[in-house]
Amino acid sequence: METVKDLLIILISSSLVSNVVLSQFLGLCPFLGVSKKTNTAVGMGVAVIFVITLASAVAGVMYKFLLVPLGIEYLQTICFILVIAALVQFVEMFLRKALPALYEALGVYLPLITTNCAVLGVALTNVQKEYGILAGVVNGFATSAGFTISIIILAGIREKIQYNDVPESFKGMPIVLVTAGLMAIAFCGFSGLL
């Protein structure tokens, strides 16, 4: 059983120190693709928080109470992908009905959450680190919160870069990649926290 201290360490570590995008390089497709505007970055971040947190809970329950007792742990990746795909479909249907403007703004990147390696990476990390269900959910929430922090910061910087005099060869994606690299270096400063 995890203590509050253990959960707090997981929370800080997964969101800042081992940021899924900036130190593990998972989830780069939506990170680079949806970070053009802050409002769409916030929408993607909230969707990712919902999917990863819920996927961590469902995958943890499935692994502990279904795969392990039946001795079919080797099917974990397939089962986790099915869970993630179902959750993304649920989010997509919800956004289409409740927030059509955000649904249109996210475009192709919303279904890409299904193939976002960060979502599957969290579920597999929870199994590899032998987290319990609660610790896995905290890890999932913290990882997705770290993703959201990163994508919102990058979106804010990209909005400001539009008004700067950037050399021609750096316009577009090159300056975004340089910015993401500088953000990764800045996030390395959090490594002394734990």
Side-chain angles (χ1 to χ4, degrees):
M1 185 72 184
E2 293 85 9
T3 64
V4 174
K5 180 182 174 185
D6 294 335
L7 296 176
L8 188 59
I9 288 172
I10 291 171
L11 186 71
I12 293 170
S13 174
S14 295
S15 60
L16 298 176
V17 178
S18 300
N19 187 284
V20 71
V21 177
L22 300 175
S23 69
Q24 297 177 20
F25 308 114
L26 297 175
L28 289 176
C29 294
F31 177 69
L32 296 173
V34 183
S35 61
K36 292 177 184 168
K37 300 252 183 242
T38 307
N39 58 350
T40 56
V42 169
M44 176 59 87
V46 170
V48 167
I49 286 174
F50 177 78
V51 169
I52 289 182
T53 304
L54 203 54
S56 296
V58 174
V61 169
M62 177 186 288
Y63 185 79
K64 183 175 182 177
F65 296 112
L66 184 66
L67 299 179
V68 171
L70 294 175
I72 54 173
E73 296 94 343
Y74 57 90
L75 292 176
Q76 67 187 8
T77 304
I78 295 169
C79 293
F80 293 167
I81 289 172
L82 292 173
V83 166
I84 293 164
L87 289 172
V88 170
Q89 287 299 314
F90 174 73
V91 169
E92 191 172 357
M93 289 186 305
F94 173 78
L95 288 180
R96 186 181 300 156
K97 293 283 185 189
L99 302 166
L102 180 58
Y103 174 78
E104 291 297 323
L106 292 175
V108 71
Y109 294 100
L110 186 59
L112 281 180
I113 294 176
T114 304
T115 59
N116 185 343
C117 50
V119 184
L120 181 59
V122 170
L124 294 174
T125 298
N126 290 343
V127 170
Q128 287 173 347
K129 291 188 176 182
E130 297 179 358
Y131 286 152
I133 295 172
L134 178 60
V137 171
V138 169
N139 182 47
F141 174 77
T143 301
S144 56
F147 175 87
T148 303
I149 290 167
S150 301
I151 197 170
I152 290 172
I153 290 172
L154 183 63
I157 293 171
R158 284 181 77 172
E159 286 180 353
K160 299 294 182 193
I161 286 176
Q162 290 178 355
Y163 304 110
N164 292 340
D165 187 26
V166 177
E168 191 64 36
S169 60
F170 278 96
K171 286 188 178 178
M173 195 52 66
I175 194 68
V176 173
L177 293 173
V178 168
T179 303
L182 292 172
M183 284 176 57
I185 292 170
F187 268 68
C188 284
F190 290 118
S191 62
L193 284 175
L194 300 174

